[in-house]
Amino acid sequence: MNQLWKMDPNIKKTKNSADSANYPEAIQSPSQFPDEVLEKVLSMLHSHKDRSSVSLVCKDWYNAERWSRTKIFIGNCYSVSPEIVARRFPRIKSVTLKGKPRFSDFNLVPQNWGANIHDWLVMFAKVYPLLEELRLKRMTVSDESLEFLAMSFPGFKALSLLSCDGFSTDGLKSIATHCKKLTELDIQENGIDDVSGSWLSAFPDNFTSLEILNFASLNSEVSFDALERLVSRCKSLKVLKVNKGIGLDQLQRLLVRAPQLMELGTGSFQQELMFRHCMELENAFRNCKNLQILAGLWDASYVYLHVLYPACSSLTFLNLSYATLRSDEFTKLIAHCPNLRCLWVLDTVEDKGLEAVGSCCPLLEEIRVFPAHPFDQDINHGVTESGFLAVSHGCRKLHYVLYFCQQMTNAAVATIVQNCPDFTHFRLCIMNPGQPDYLTDEPMDEAFGAVVKTCTKLQRLAVSGLLTDLTFEYIGKYAKNLETLSVAFAGRSDWGMQCVLGGCPKLRKLEIRDCPFGNAALLSGLKKYESMRSLWMSACNVTMNGCRLLAKEMPRLNVEVMKDEEDDSHVDKVYVYRSVAGPRRDAPPFVLTL
Amino acid sequence: MASGSLGGSGGGGGGGGVSGDGSTTGSMSTVSKEDNLVLLSSEVSSSSYPDESELELGLGLSLGCGGGAAALKSSKPGSWGVHGGRILTVQDFPPSVVSNASSSSSSSSPTKPNNASCGTKRSADSFSPPRSGVSQVVGWPPVRTYRMNSLVNQTKLLTSEDCNSTIVKSKSKSIVLDKIDGNMSRNKNAKPKVFPKNTLFVKVNMDGVPIGRKVDLNAHNSYEDLAQTLDDMFCRTSTTVSARINSRNSWHRWDGWMVSYTEENGGMREATESLRLLNGSPEFVLTYEDRDGDWMLVGDVPWEMFISSVKRLRIMRRSEANGLGFQEQNERQRSKPIWT
């Protein structure tokens, strides 16, 4: 056992596992350990990064790791095939799969692009009959697939679908009907056919195992009666997020049945309530002693927000991003939430609201400010640099920000990162493309320069505003821990992208749209793309020749081009990713794999 | 290649091809007739209208709005991802453009479903919006489709409430009507018309009629609209219930119903005031049962509030409806008529 732990799994390993000169202990220890012991030890490793490192030590460790792995995470469903996964890992119980490129969330990926779950499910049914969990992001899932899933895995417990498409509420009905041991059903922000709410009524009367239920983004009304009975009998329910069809009086009845909830998504918060019912609702919230996360609050009318106050002091995450609260209304609410770690709001709260956040929430670590009027250029709406400054001043532990604003300055960002140097995720969206510092009229280069110089732990960065190549020089030079970079309407020449590809040693995902980067930039990353998950470039200056050259030089990359219909040489979209599965066989006609 | 789009390079791609079934056209004309001001530009951008720049605008609008609703209504699952790339609001277009668009059909067949090029090229060409760049670009700002659609419904809800108060105060017919039209369309979008599967059927019974009916409240956007439907449903001779539909520029008037708007009185009536209108042979009033089990007169509260609390409707003989607070037990009894 001692010898085992001398092997630090985090030491960078080369693929040459027979290199005994470097690791003499490694060669000796496996022969002293039965595989079962090694497997048992490795089974305590949960991080998939650690497991990948472990599997590279030597052949015995590779085998021990593959037999002991029960959870698999596949960040790009096309980087590997179901057959390869099935061959390597015989004992999987939990699968996480991500499909389409992230820009598909913003309609930049055409329909029928792929990422269909079905072939995976067929393989899982063969090889992993004991599968318990499936978590999908940006995959295409049909009702038939959901039915197949429900029927094929008798021990199935958890289904999470985020930003997926292709199914309807009928598919959910299959899940509710057949998955007797279901603990989690989490349906978020999917583009689905919402036929009816009857799926909820399909849970059998003797079904009691549910712990997580999130149907907030579905629109059809469910039977409240069925929901109430379901909540009553599922005593372990911890997370309940209902949809807009549930009103305040119904919410009260649900809370009374489930005071143990830790996470609640309310329905519509706008109903006309008599005073007596208001008090009952407030009491119901008072009785929810474990409530940490609150969301929903659609159409939140300020009149009823006070019912939340008894629950606010224990809240760690408050999601108001669907509640159009004004700054005065919001300020009163936020004053009751001193323990917030994470806050999502709409910019209707304005700078004043954010000042209140700075004053009231010293423990805040994450803030996301979404635009209520994304296409309205009227500067009187929304938030500006002052709001962001105020939050950074009061919330020194801030490390995650997503901020949509109409205006920003270099100076403000420099101050913000001085206040909060621990940013790991910095996503700033100045909504007007190519907009300069509104005070000095200069590009926003220095802002992002300050971010990458000061925030050494930065993992994710999204840039916006008027940016020259200088921004990318800074990024390449300073952002040593950067893993994800999103770029839009920025840069002056190939040099910008070359800087990023030449620096940023930990870069994994690069997504670019509407930038003047061309073939030289694309090809400068030849060696790098194999160490990355993927590259997306759309509406840039890349041509077919450049892509063909890349594909030719790097056979282990899939170079997928979506062509501009009019111009044969110009490439509208190119998606490059590493894969051990070769070119994909399900590519639609508009996707050319070079 | 895109031309005229902001930043010049490529127009930024866009959502998938039009979720094209033949049904697109039918649904679109329904939506556009109701002055749907929420338009989804991915349809605009992804259709293949080459050169008619002026027509493009109108066509694009209705195609956009219809396509969106149609996509949600009738297309195969998975078409969601097509639309919502950007949503044009009423601020983007002068009113005249919108009203022109409303009657134009979807025109050409949907683009090939494999059309990978779904850029903003066309929309960029066809007009110069009053705002700077943002409104031209598909997929920007980078807000997820689901959130985008939710926001649209939210803000429409807010503006519709503003409109209600404006209507009551305003004296000028044309201004009121414009706002009411805006209100209608906004209400329509505030309700899940964009998600047309969300229905709200309630029972309707009329005194003296043995068979009850059901009406989908979510398919209506105002009391007037509902009144029209109920009138059609329970169509009787003119001595009992009558509804007159005047020209498009005035509200129709339903004798026997508490709330109505006429050119003379210049605005939405409060329930109490309209009693004066119910002389002659008004025999019925429209009432509803709310969540608490109380029977109320229809028309007292804003439409949104009514929708959220109504359980069922009853077209009641005036003789039964003597003041508020009558109980359900009286329903079957015929009291002496107090109106002669």
Side-chain angles (χ1 to χ4, degrees):
Chain A
M1 207 58 119
N2 290 337
Q3 288 160 308
L4 194 61
W5 292 115
K6 278 184 198 158
M7 297 305 303
D8 179 352
N10 288 322
I11 293 174
K12 192 165 155 78
K13 306 285 188 281
T14 62
K15 278 214 186 265
N16 184 4
S17 57
D19 190 355
S20 58
N22 283 337
Y23 306 113
E25 289 125 74
I27 299 305
Q28 289 164 24
S29 54
S31 61
Q32 295 181 13
F33 281 110
D35 288 337
E36 298 79 33
V37 175
L38 189 54
E39 278 174 40
K40 180 78 180 149
V41 169
L42 293 181
S43 68
M44 296 179 216
L45 269 183
H46 296 298
S47 141
H48 61 270
K49 282 186 186 153
D50 284 345
R51 282 186 159 271
S52 292
S53 307
V54 159
S55 67
L56 294 174
V57 170
C58 65
K59 203 157 181 354
D60 284 342
W61 280 50
Y62 175 90
N63 278 323
E65 193 280 312
R66 65 182 268 262
W67 278 95
S68 64
R69 193 187 293 211
T70 57
K71 276 181 128 152
I72 185 159
F73 170 84
I74 300 171
N76 174 5
C77 64
Y78 287 120
S79 63
V80 75
S81 71
E83 292 77 23
I84 295 174
V85 171
R87 259 204 309 270
R88 180 172 171 187
F89 299 110
R91 290 194 194 153
I92 296 296
K93 294 224 176 119
S94 163
V95 176
T96 302
L97 267 169
K98 296 191 183 177
K100 298 181 215 168
R102 195 179 77 94
F103 277 176
S104 71
D105 283 347
F106 318 124
N107 293 310
L108 293 186
V109 175
Q111 278 226 83
N112 301 319
W113 180 84
N116 196 305
I117 191 60
H118 201 77
D119 286 347
W120 290 91
L121 286 178
V122 167
M123 179 60 69
F124 294 156
K126 259 199 296 207
V127 183
Y128 309 134
L130 301 178
L131 189 70
E132 292 178 354
E133 296 184 2
L134 188 64
R135 300 178 194 284
L136 304 180
K137 190 169 183 182
R138 294 191 201 101
M139 302 282 296
T140 296
V141 184
S142 67
D143 286 342
E144 290 71 35
S145 294
L146 287 175
E147 192 176 352
F148 181 78
L149 169 66
M151 310 290 274
S152 307
F153 306 103
F156 194 76
K157 291 191 182 163
L159 180 64
S160 166
L161 300 173
L162 174 55
S163 221
C164 296
D165 68 297
F167 62 102
S168 79
T169 42
D170 288 344
L172 298 180
K173 200 185 267 193
S174 308
I175 301 288
T177 309
H178 299 293
C179 297
K180 307 268 185 268
K181 300 198 178 163
L182 200 69
T183 59
E184 176 178 344
L185 183 59
D186 184 0
I187 311 294
Q188 284 190 56
E189 298 186 11
N190 300 288
I192 72 169
D193 216 2
D194 205 336
V195 175
S196 94
S198 62
W199 61 273
L200 189 97
S201 309
F203 284 109
D205 285 336
N206 61 356
F207 170 78
T208 58
S209 49
L210 206 58
E211 297 171 21
I212 296 174
L213 178 62
N214 178 356
F215 64 99
S217 56
L218 297 180
N219 286 301
S220 314
E221 277 202 30
V222 300
S223 149
F224 178 70
D225 189 52
L227 177 61
E228 194 175 9
R229 284 185 285 115
L230 181 67
V231 169
S232 304
R233 63 182 188 268
C234 294
K235 306 283 183 218
S236 305
L237 195 68
K238 297 277 179 308
V239 177
L240 177 63
K241 296 187 173 169
V242 300
N243 68 4
K244 273 187 256 199
I246 303 296
L248 286 175
D249 59 340
Q250 294 173 324
L251 180 66
Q252 187 260 337
R253 286 159 66 176
L254 292 174
L255 288 179
V256 160
R257 306 238 177 261
Q260 77 281 4
L261 284 179
M262 292 174 62
E263 265 188 66
L264 172 69
T266 73
S268 167
F269 224 72
Q270 208 210 21
Q271 187 182 348
E272 190 189 346
L273 274 189
M274 287 170 41
F275 179 74
R276 159 169 72 91
H277 293 141
C278 246
M279 289 285 96
E280 284 173 358
L281 185 55
E282 191 170 331
N283 280 333
F285 272 106
R286 190 169 284 118
N287 284 333
C288 291
K289 310 271 189 222
N290 296 330
L291 206 57
Q292 291 179 11
I293 297 178
L294 187 60
L297 299 165
W298 282 286
D299 314 322
S301 165
Y302 171 64
V303 176
Y304 301 116
L305 283 181
H306 67 88
V307 307
L308 300 174
Y309 292 170
C312 282
S313 57
S314 59
L315 285 186
T316 54
F317 179 8
L318 179 58
N319 181 351
L320 293 171
S321 61
Y322 293 104
T324 49
L325 295 176
R326 295 190 321 257
S327 58
D328 51 341
E329 303 167 334
F330 171 72
T331 301
K332 294 202 180 84
L333 173 61
I334 204 73
H336 287 83
C337 309
N339 287 313
L340 274 190
R341 306 286 197 272
C342 179
L343 174 68
W344 294 17
V345 281
L346 278 182
D347 64 358
T348 52
V349 306
E350 295 182 347
D351 289 333
K352 275 203 91 194
L354 294 181
E355 282 165 30
V357 173
S359 314
C360 303
C361 307
L363 302 176
L364 199 69
E365 295 174 27
E366 171 177 331
I367 186 162
R368 302 196 195 196
V369 182
F370 294 96
H373 306 272
F375 306 113
D376 189 346
Q377 293 287 284
D378 185 347
I379 210 74
N380 289 330
H381 289 155
V383 293
T384 71
E385 76 279 10
S386 347
F388 197 173
L389 270 167
V391 176
S392 75
H393 191 70
C395 310
R396 298 296 168 120
K397 296 190 176 188
L398 201 62
H399 70 83
Y400 191 120
V401 70
L402 169 61
Y403 200 78
F404 285 85
C405 58
Q406 303 281 5
Q407 63 187 50
M408 189 52 63
T409 67
N410 288 308
V413 175
T415 309
I416 286 162
V417 294
Q418 277 199 326
N419 289 339
C420 306
D422 297 327
F423 273 114
T424 55
H425 297 69
F426 193 94
R427 305 165 64 188
L428 178 61
C429 181
I430 303 165
M431 289 194 274
N432 192 8
Q435 179 170 301
D437 178 323
Y438 82 98
L439 283 182
T440 65
D441 240 12
E442 282 169 3
M444 296 296 296
D445 296 333
E446 294 308 319
F448 294 104
V451 172
V452 293
K453 284 179 203 165
T454 316
C455 307
T456 52
K457 299 183 206 161
L458 194 70
Q459 291 169 24
R460 182 170 180 183
L461 179 64
V463 299
S464 60
L466 179 65
L467 300 174
T468 70
D469 290 340
L470 183 57
T471 298
F472 302 103
E473 281 182 37
Y474 287 143
I475 294 174
K477 188 167 170 202
Y478 293 104
K480 296 294 174 210
N481 285 312
L482 191 66
E483 298 181 18
T484 305
L485 179 63
S486 308
V487 185
F489 305 103
R492 288 271 158 85
S493 72
D494 286 335
W495 174 240
M497 186 170 162
Q498 286 168 329
C499 286
V500 171
L501 291 170
C504 300
K506 294 205 185 162
L507 194 65
R508 291 189 303 116
K509 287 177 281 183
L510 181 56
E511 47 185 26
I512 301 173
R513 64 167 290 183
D514 293 89
C515 296
F517 304 138
N519 291 337
L522 176 69
L523 294 168
S524 71
L526 265 187
K527 298 291 176 230
K528 199 174 184 83
Y529 299 135
E530 274 192 0
S531 67
M532 288 169 55
R533 183 187 293 175
S534 64
L535 165 75
W536 168 279
M537 286 179 79
S538 62
C540 297
N541 289 340
V542 168
T543 71
M544 284 298 283
N545 284 336
C547 295
R548 282 204 187 97
L549 195 53
L550 175 62
K552 182 159 157 252
E553 293 294 317
M554 307 296 300
R556 281 187 300 204
L557 294 178
N558 280 354
V559 179
E560 296 184 5
V561 160
M562 285 176 259
K563 276 180 54 195
D564 192 310
E565 59 181 3
E566 282 143 27
D567 189 336
D568 258 348
S569 68
H570 180 82
V571 157
D572 192 24
K573 295 167 191 169
V574 61
Y575 183 50
V576 180
Y577 58 91
R578 65 181 174 190
S579 175
V580 295
R584 59 177 174 122
R585 289 174 294 233
D586 64 350
F590 58 84
V591 171
L592 291 168
T593 308
L594 301 177
Chain B
M1 186 88 87
S3 56
S5 67
L6 179 79
S9 159
V18 171
S19 55
D21 323 331
S23 54
T24 301
T25 311
S27 337
M28 272 178 2
S29 55
T30 307
V31 176
S32 49
K33 185 168 63 173
E34 286 146 349
D35 285 326
N36 184 345
L37 296 173
V38 174
L39 305 160
L40 303 169
S41 75
S42 57
E43 274 62 45
V44 171
S45 56
S46 54
S47 58
S48 54
Y49 304 124
D51 298 348
E52 314 129 280
S53 17
E54 273 177 10
L55 260 184
E56 257 182 357
L57 181 55
L59 287 170
L61 291 174
S62 60
L63 175 62
C65 71
L72 288 152
K73 235 187 248 206
S74 57
S75 55
K76 326 177 252 307
S79 61
W80 176 286
V82 168
H83 49 80
R86 110 171 147 89
I87 299 169
L88 310 175
T89 63
V90 68
Q91 289 104 329
D92 290 323
F93 303 105
S96 57
V97 168
V98 173
S99 49
N100 285 340
S102 64
S103 51
S104 52
S105 74
S106 73
S107 75
S108 82
S109 56
T111 52
K112 14 185 199 321
N114 293 329
N115 181 12
S117 162
C118 23
T120 49
K121 310 171 201 178
R122 236 189 30 81
S123 60
D125 290 341
S126 50
F127 61 90
S128 52
R131 317 284 174 191
S132 53
V134 174
S135 53
Q136 294 192 51
V137 183
V138 168
W140 188 266
V143 178
R144 281 204 190 140
T145 311
Y146 171 78
R147 182 176 288 284
M148 207 70 102
N149 288 331
S150 294
L151 289 176
V152 165
N153 285 337
Q154 294 258 340
T155 54
K156 297 283 182 209
L157 193 61
L158 281 182
T159 42
S160 72
E161 285 171 4
D162 293 336
C163 276
N164 273 327
S165 47
T166 315
I167 289 166
V168 171
K169 290 174 199 138
S170 168
K171 295 271 193 252
S172 155
K173 181 180 79 169
S174 59
I175 291 176
V176 169
L177 287 170
D178 281 346
K179 288 210 187 317
I180 290 173
D181 276 340
N183 184 32
M184 270 181 75
S185 53
R186 285 184 185 124
N187 269 336
K188 196 156 261 323
N189 295 319
K191 277 304 136 202
K193 199 61 178 174
V194 185
F195 308 102
K197 300 294 182 201
N198 192 3
T199 56
L200 182 59
F201 279 99
V202 297
K203 285 192 192 167
V204 189
N205 287 89
M206 181 163 170
D207 287 356
V209 177
I211 310 284
R213 302 292 304 272
K214 272 197 169 177
V215 64
D216 179 8
L217 292 179
N218 274 346
H220 301 84
N221 56 9
S222 68
Y223 291 119
E224 271 61 36
D225 209 9
L226 177 63
Q228 177 61 52
T229 300
L230 293 178
D231 186 48
D232 290 341
M233 268 184 187
F234 295 93
C235 191
R236 308 268 260 162
T237 62
S238 55
T239 52
T240 52
V241 169
S242 67
R244 272 195 316 253
I245 302 173
N246 300 327
S247 69
R248 193 182 176 273
N249 285 333
S250 72
W251 294 95
H252 66 262
R253 176 181 147 163
W254 191 19
D255 293 324
W257 195 46
M258 303 295 286
V259 177
S260 60
Y261 170 93
T262 63
E263 294 179 25
E264 300 93 76
N265 57 38
M268 278 289 247
R269 308 296 317 168
E270 311 267 340
T272 48
E273 279 182 85
S274 63
L275 277 169
R276 273 181 252 131
L277 300 171
L278 303 175
N279 294 326
S281 61
E283 200 180 319
F284 290 90
V285 293
L286 182 59
T287 64
Y288 72 102
E289 183 183 21
D290 71 0
R291 280 193 204 269
D292 292 327
D294 301 319
W295 285 91
M296 319 287 281
L297 288 167
V298 168
D300 281 348
V301 298
W303 177 256
E304 263 68 48
M305 221 180 264
F306 167 68
I307 289 278
S308 67
S309 55
V310 60
K311 269 173 42 185
R312 53 183 163 139
L313 296 166
R314 178 179 162 195
I315 303 171
M316 193 179 286
R317 289 209 168 81
R318 173 152 296 288
S319 47
E320 313 267 21
N322 185 7
L324 299 168
F326 44 83
Q327 293 304 304
E328 197 173 346
Q329 290 89 325
N330 292 333
E331 218 177 331
R332 300 266 179 264
Q333 297 164 16
R334 284 171 145 266
S335 52
K336 241 184 345 193
I338 60 163
W339 305 85
T340 48

